[in-house]
Structure formats: structure tokens, C-alpha cells
Amino acid sequence: MEPIRLSDSNLESIEASVRRLMEQSAEQARQLDHLAAAPDPSSPFPAFGMPGLPGMPPLPTAPPEPRPILELEGEEYENELDSLSDWVDDFLMPTYGAEVTTASPWCQQWQEHDDVVAWLHALWMAYQQHKDPEAGPSGPFVWHRDFLTHAMTTVRAPGGPLSACMTDPDRPAHRLLPGPKPSLRSARADSAEPEDDAAETLS
């Protein structure tokens, strides 16, 4: 094949196009280098770097949503109950427990009372929220006023969930009070299920 000779005008056009492409490529490389560099601390917008590029901070991950402890299961429940027990035994009761009396009972096995666990866990979550700096200087006061007194009064009421437990610090006691029986509607539904199963078996 014989070489193809381009006219000077066509050759100049091709050379100009190649130069433009090289200039664009160099400009893109400069932009990438700038984006990959750490943000300038003197810049008024240092936090608007592009995440995922070298030198850029990773995107902040949102903390998991808090869940009521009775919605947890297995190891997740046990770990949360351990943390709650540490807070109750090391902080809450030594500080706000007062004396055990018939008017203010307590139970050294309170972890076996589901309703008490739920109340104290809710109180603990509120404590964590209101001691956070974002709650402001009045956060601890709000926790005392709106959460602590109400929760402790309910848990340790004379007729409350611990009323059959320890009422004298020298005589530990623990007893779970039976709850109400299921409603008549639920009882009727439960009694109807075996009949439905038997009918399905016969058919």
C-alpha cells in the first residue's frame, strides 16, 4: 500500500485537534489532583471535600437507631442488659436509690422483671440523650424533672412491679407477680384454632 499524503490544511487541522485534546486531558488531571488533595484549612469550606477520593475523610456513618430493650433478642439483648445493669448498679441506685422500705421496695434480681427492665432502660436512654452536649446546659435538669422522678416512683411504688420483692434491706426477696389472663377475645381465638386444624385434617 502506498502512503496517503494529506494536504497541509488537513494536517494542520488534525494537529490542532490533538493539541486541544492534550490540553483538555492535562486540565482534567490538574482538577483530579486538586480534588484528591487534603482540603485547605484556611478555606471557609474545608468540610465540602469529595469523599471517597485519596486524602478525603470518609462519609460519617449514622449511629444505629436506639431500640427498646424488649425488642432485642439473644446476644444483642444480653449485651444491652449487661450495659444497663452496670449503669443501674454503679450509678443509678447508689445515687438515687434511697433506702429500701415497704414504701419503696427493690429487687436484687430486677433483671428478671421485664417491666422494670423496660422502665430502667428507657430511663437510661433518656439519660444518655440529656447528658449529651447537644442537649444544652439544661439537659441534666430536664432529665431529673421529666424522667428520673417519674420512672423511679413507678418502679418502686408500694403496689408496683417490685412490691412482692425486698421491702427490708436485711431480708432479700424476689417474686414475679402474675399478670392478667388473656382477654376473652384472645381466649376464644385460641380455643377455635384446634377446631379449625381438625377440620382441615378431615378434609
Side-chain angles (χ1 to χ4, degrees), residues 8-176:
D8 292 343
S9 59
N10 288 340
L11 185 59
E12 290 176 359
S13 175
I14 293 173
E15 288 178 348
S17 298
V18 170
R19 281 196 300 271
R20 282 196 300 272
L21 288 173
M22 293 180 65
E23 290 172 358
Q24 291 174 358
S25 177
E27 178 61 25
Q28 290 174 351
R30 283 193 296 272
Q31 292 177 355
L32 288 174
D33 289 341
H34 176 72
L35 292 173
D40 183 2
S42 63
S43 169
F45 308 107
F48 290 90
M50 294 184 63
L53 295 174
M56 292 293 101
L59 278 174
T61 55
E65 289 292 329
R67 295 168 57 195
I69 191 170
L70 297 186
E71 292 184 2
L72 308 179
E73 296 179 351
E75 185 177 354
E76 190 177 10
Y77 173 84
E78 293 298 329
N79 292 338
E80 190 75 357
L81 185 59
D82 286 343
S83 299
L84 173 62
S85 298
D86 290 341
W87 181 74
V88 170
D89 295 339
D90 297 341
F91 171 72
L92 181 68
M93 291 307 293
T95 307
Y96 304 102
E99 186 179 3
V100 176
T101 65
T102 54
S104 187
W106 184 242
C107 183
Q108 292 178 320
Q109 301 178 58
W110 59 266
Q111 293 91 340
E112 298 182 22
H113 297 262
D114 286 345
D115 48 355
V116 174
V117 169
W119 269 103
L120 295 180
H121 185 255
L123 181 63
W124 180 43
M125 288 198 297
Y127 173 78
Q128 295 177 76
Q129 176 185 353
H130 286 82
K131 75 170 186 174
D132 190 279
E134 292 185 1
S138 62
F141 176 81
V142 173
W143 179 76
H144 282 82
R145 182 195 65 193
D146 295 347
F147 299 93
L148 174 67
T149 303
H150 183 58
M152 294 297 281
T153 300
T154 302
V155 167
R156 302 188 66 185
L162 303 180
S163 57
C165 296
M166 184 169 61
T167 57
D168 185 329
D170 297 326
R171 290 186 294 174
H174 164 67
R175 184 164 71 90
L176 295 176

